[in-house]
Amino acid sequence: MPECPCCGEQLHYDEYFGRIAAHQDGKVLGDIYKCRNDECEAYQQSFYTWRNNPNELHEGYPV
């Protein structure tokens, strides 16, 4: 699991994202994580990684 860039604690898996809505191919493109450290400034913020590059963490929710 990746670490929070703000507090260094392990991020918690929240869900996956991709082309999974109706009429799409169901391909999972990446994973979404959240910081659960309530003392961190990034508490409950989303971070994501792409499945083809899981070591590169991005801030926010994938668009």
Side-chain angles (χ1 to χ4, degrees):
M1 291 286 175
E3 294 179 350
C4 177
C6 297
C7 67
E9 289 200 20
Q10 186 176 22
L11 293 172
H12 293 267
Y13 180 81
D14 190 49
E15 62 182 320
Y16 56 88
F17 67 94
R19 300 185 303 241
I20 40 187
H23 307 294
Q24 294 188 8
D25 62 10
K27 183 173 182 176
V28 175
L29 298 176
D31 298 299
I32 301 171
Y33 301 90
K34 287 194 176 187
C35 180
R36 291 197 182 154
N37 177 2
D38 60 358
E39 296 177 5
C40 178
E41 64 185 54
Y43 177 64
Q44 292 292 24
Q45 287 186 357
S46 295
F47 298 90
Y48 67 95
T49 60
W50 294 96
R51 289 273 171 108
N52 64 353
N53 192 3
N55 295 322
E56 189 174 324
L57 186 66
H58 302 275
E59 188 173 350
Y61 198 83
V63 288

